């Protein structure tokens, strides 16, 4: 049973762990068998016109805190050459359903405990739940591929992008030469919108923006021309002007290759534009399915209607003009060295941020929008002193370059950041409670353990995290839930300033609205000041007092949210707004 401080007792934890080990060991033994006769994992499709059939699928996670039923009796079909949308809130089981098909669940905790998944490869039909791992390695890539939600954690940080694409092609096609694979990779990078693709093939993942990494993942998934593509939030990190281009590209490739697509998304607007049929999931179950036009026009389930109407609306009320300036940036420039000589002298540089100036008053929100690669995140990192810059940035009237080491250390508790990639920014070795409360340990050592846990539970409740998440680890949560953990970690110290770098990009629409309201309430309650970086203009419009529009490192327009969204002056701003609200 749980103790008063929210943790499980040692006895209860040991009992649950022992039971879970028995279950997972049995299931893992079946999965890892070799020399299994084909008759055990070959089957027939109920409908030969389907690429994959899910029937009564149950996928559970066995944790020390108990069993989590991520997918509970899910059934649907994906016809050959067609697109089926799977939508729902984060944590509803969308991604776990696709990971069950790919057999890429977190082992040994995640297991398919019941049900059937039938994959049609043309000549053969595989019962995925019984297919051994060495056969699955052949099916992945050759017959089915997946675009993962978080590209930074899916790419090898030690390998150049070109080498990773070439490897993906040659592993599944032994006859393909290195030169031919390189040409294929280059063509795909150009097609998904990577500029200077030949040069960028020689770069590493950390040298790309979040949106560019997502495009690289799309190229990697398509390089072997699979029969079935699982697109798990394929445009999450992309700006609105690129979303339509990427999805149109996937649609064109689908027509050329006859490829079936499972389109997993929290954005119902995208699902409506690019799917023929849809399955709406909630709490591991499908609550509604059908032709997407009919479902959107006449939703039968109240949850579906709630999702359709859940879009951040309205604009923030303007703050009083007599508030003091918290952050003052003057002529900020950030450059990266691309090439240097033997003595380390730069021969070629890239100007990521070019002479940007702005002010943020206390209690205000500055929105920063623009395409991926425009320099939004780089500007934010300069404000947080995470990157070297030229120019001047002042906090409460004092230039950040003039702070002593001790002053800079204390300042960290006053300035917090929520990163774009929540999985990469959360320690996999710490529980959720330890992650959220870590800042209290560092900046408030006088607090007792009980006081810290109580504060953590209060913050978890504020960001709509279940209290039983306290003892669980980041890998046990969906992308949206991990982002909420990151937000809780940032606000627990009650800072004066928070940099929010794409804080809602991984969240479904219904949760986005809740997070927007949460950020507004916290700002009003604690007088917080935000710098809100996002490609989602509907969210920026709802939270911002002033907005900067960036393009290729330059500030093309700067003004109040009302002026930017209702009376834009720059052609690029107009195009960005039209793309966002017409999609």
């Amino acid at each position: 049973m749980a103790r008063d401080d929210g943790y499980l007792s040692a006895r209860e934890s040991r009992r649950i762990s022992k039971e879970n080990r028995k279950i997972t060991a049995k299931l893992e033994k079946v999965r890892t068998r070799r020399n299994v006769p084909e008759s055990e994992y070959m089957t027939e499709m109920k409908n030969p016109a389907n690429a994959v059939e899910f029937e009564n699928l149950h996928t559970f996670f066995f944790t020390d805190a108990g069993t989590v039923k991520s997918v509970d009796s899910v059934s649907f079909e994906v016809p050959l050459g067609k697109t089926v949308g799977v939508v729902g809130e984060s944590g509803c089981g969308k991604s776990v359903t696709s990971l069950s098909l790919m057999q890429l669940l977190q082992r040994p905790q995640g297991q398919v405990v019941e049900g059937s998944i039938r994959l049609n490869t043309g000549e053969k039909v595989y019962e995925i739940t019984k297919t051994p791992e060495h056969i699955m390695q052949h099916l992945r890539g050759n017959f089915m591929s997946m675009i993962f939600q978080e590209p930074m954690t899916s790419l090898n940080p030690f390998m150049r992008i070109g080498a990773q694409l070439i490897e993906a092609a040659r592993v599944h096609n032994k006859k393909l030469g290195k030169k031919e694979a390189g040409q294929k990779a280059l063509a795909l990078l150009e097609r998904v919108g990577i500029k200077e693709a030949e040069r960028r093939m020689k770069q590493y993942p950390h040298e790309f923006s979040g949106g560019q990494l997502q495009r690289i993942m799309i190229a990697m998934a398509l390089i072997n021309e699979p029969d079935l593509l699982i697109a798990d939030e394929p445009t999450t990190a992309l700006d609105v002007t690129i979303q339509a281009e990427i999805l149109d590209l996937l649609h064109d490739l689908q027509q050329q290759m006859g490829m079936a697509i499972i389109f997993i998304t929290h954005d119902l607007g995208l699902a409506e534009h690019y799917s023929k049929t849809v399955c709406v999931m909630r709490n591991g179950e499908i609550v509604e399915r059908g032709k997407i036009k009919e479902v959107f026009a006449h939703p039968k389930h109240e949850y579906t209607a709630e999702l359709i109407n859940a879009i951040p609306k309205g604009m923030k009320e303007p703050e009083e003009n007599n508030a003091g300036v918290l952050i003052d940036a003057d002529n900020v420039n950030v450059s990266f060295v691309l090439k240097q000589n033997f003595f380390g002298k730069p021969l070629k540089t890239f100007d990521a941020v070019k002479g940007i100036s702005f002010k943020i008053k206390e209690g205000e929100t500055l929105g920063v929008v623009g395409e991926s690669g425009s320099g939004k995140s780089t500007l934010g990192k300069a404000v947080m002193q995470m990157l070297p810059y030229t120019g001047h940035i002042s906090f409460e009237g004092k230039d950040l370059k003039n702070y002593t080491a001790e002053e800079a250390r204390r300042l960290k508790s006053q300035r917090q950041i929520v990163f774009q990639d929540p999985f990469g920014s959360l320690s996999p070795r710490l529980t959720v409670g330890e992650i959220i409360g870590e800042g209290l340990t560092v900046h408030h050592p006088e607090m007792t353990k009980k006081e810290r846990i109580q504060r953590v539970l209060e913050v978890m409740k504020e960001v709509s995290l279940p209290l039983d998440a306290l003892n669980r680890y980041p890998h046990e949560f969906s992308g949206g839930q991990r982002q909420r953990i990151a937000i809780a970690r940032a606000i627990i110290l009650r800072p004066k300033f928070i940099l929010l770098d794409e804080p809602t990009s991984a969240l479904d629409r219904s949760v986005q609205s809740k997070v927007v309201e949460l950020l507004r309430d916290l700002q009003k309650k604690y007088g917080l000041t935000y710098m809100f970086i996002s490609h989602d203009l509907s969210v920026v419009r709802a939270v911002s007092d002033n907005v900067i529009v960036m393009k290729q490192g330059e500030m093309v327009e700067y003004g109040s949210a009302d002026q930017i969204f209702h009376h834009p002056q720059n052609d690029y701003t107009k195009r960005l707004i039209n793309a966002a609200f017409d999609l």
Side-chain angles (χ1 to χ4, degrees), residues 197-216:
E198 188 171 1
R199 175 180 69 84
R200 308 217 71 177
M201 282 183 68
K202 300 175 184 178
Q203 294 182 324
Y204 293 91
H206 71 269
E207 299 179 77
F208 294 83
S209 69
Q212 291 168 329
L213 289 172
Q214 194 69 292
R215 286 178 242 181
I216 292 166

Side-chain angles (χ1 to χ4, degrees), residues 149-300:
Q149 183 175 354
E150 293 163 340
M152 195 62 188
T153 58
S154 304
L155 295 168
N156 189 331
F158 299 104
M159 288 180 66
R160 301 178 194 271
I161 291 300
Q164 296 191 55
L165 288 168
I166 291 170
E167 180 186 57
R170 298 189 72 195
V171 162
H172 296 283
N173 188 349
K174 304 296 184 183
K175 297 180 181 179
L176 193 66
K178 187 174 181 179
K179 183 177 179 180
E180 187 180 354
Q183 292 172 343
K184 193 173 183 180
L186 178 63
L188 265 176
L189 283 181
E190 291 174 342
R191 193 164 187 186
V192 298
I194 299 294
K195 298 178 180 178
E196 300 182 75
E198 188 171 1
R199 175 180 69 84
R200 308 217 71 177
M201 282 183 68
K202 300 175 184 178
Q203 294 182 324
Y204 293 91
H206 71 269
E207 299 179 77
F208 294 83
S209 69
Q212 291 168 329
L213 289 172
Q214 194 69 292
R215 286 178 242 181
I216 292 166
M217 283 301 302
I218 291 170
M220 185 176 291
L222 298 177
I223 201 163
N224 291 301
E225 302 179 359
D227 297 327
L228 172 67
L229 177 67
I230 303 167
D232 188 357
E233 303 282 5
T235 59
T236 291
L238 302 183
D239 48 271
V240 291
T241 58
I242 301 299
Q243 279 185 351
E245 295 177 16
I246 292 296
L247 293 172
D248 287 341
L249 168 64
L250 290 177
H251 179 73
D252 291 344
L253 290 170
Q254 181 182 41
Q255 300 304 309
Q256 295 170 18
M257 301 161 54
M259 179 174 59
I261 297 178
I262 300 176
F263 183 39
I264 299 171
T265 181
H266 63 259
D267 193 325
L268 275 74
L270 291 181
E272 185 179 16
H273 277 77
Y274 295 96
S275 303
K276 297 295 183 184
T277 58
V278 66
C279 298
V280 181
M281 289 191 68
R282 185 184 191 187
N283 297 331
E285 300 178 352
I286 294 177
V287 297
E288 189 165 356
R289 77 186 76 204
K291 298 292 182 182
I292 197 161
K293 297 296 182 184
E294 297 176 6
V295 170
F296 274 66
H298 307 288
K300 297 178 180 178

Side-chain angles (χ1 to χ4, degrees), residues 16-25 62-64 66-67:
I16 293 174
S17 296
K18 184 176 180 180
E19 291 179 358
N20 287 345
R21 282 197 298 270
K22 289 180 180 179
I23 297 171
T24 56
F62 299 95
T63 72
D64 290 343
T67 301

Side-chain angles (χ1 to χ4, degrees), residues 6 37 78 98 106 112 125 143 152 233-234 240 275 291 319 330 348 360 379 446 453 473 535 563 577:
V78 183
S98 63
Q106 185 75 30
V112 175
V125 176
F143 296 101
M152 195 62 188
E233 303 282 5
V240 291
S275 303
K291 298 292 182 182
E319 297 293 324
D330 180 34
K348 186 178 181 181
I360 311 177
L379 176 62
E446 73 281 0
I453 292 174
Y473 290 86
H535 65 265
Q563 182 257 305
I577 292 172

Side-chain angles (χ1 to χ4, degrees), residues 305-325:
E306 180 184 331
L307 289 181
I308 293 171
N309 296 322
I311 298 176
K313 298 178 178 68
M315 298 183 71
K316 186 188 172 192
E317 296 180 4
E319 297 293 324
E320 296 181 7
N321 293 327
N322 59 1
V325 174

Side-chain angles (χ1 to χ4, degrees), residues 98-160:
S98 63
L99 291 172
S100 301
L101 168 59
M102 296 288 286
Q103 289 294 290
L104 292 175
L105 297 165
Q106 185 75 30
R107 304 289 183 180
Q109 291 86 359
Q111 298 281 354
V112 175
V113 298
E114 186 181 344
S116 172
I117 307 175
R118 297 180 288 275
L119 176 68
N120 186 356
T121 64
E123 296 181 356
K124 297 179 179 180
V125 176
Y126 291 83
E127 174 51 68
I128 295 297
T129 60
K130 297 179 181 178
T131 302
E133 176 59 23
H134 66 285
I135 303 297
M136 287 300 305
Q137 292 173 6
H138 170 70
L139 296 177
R140 299 187 199 110
N142 285 323
F143 296 101
M144 57 180 174
S145 190
M146 186 169 181
I147 303 169
F148 293 94
Q149 183 175 354
E150 293 163 340
M152 195 62 188
T153 58
S154 304
L155 295 168
N156 189 331
F158 299 104
M159 288 180 66
R160 301 178 194 271

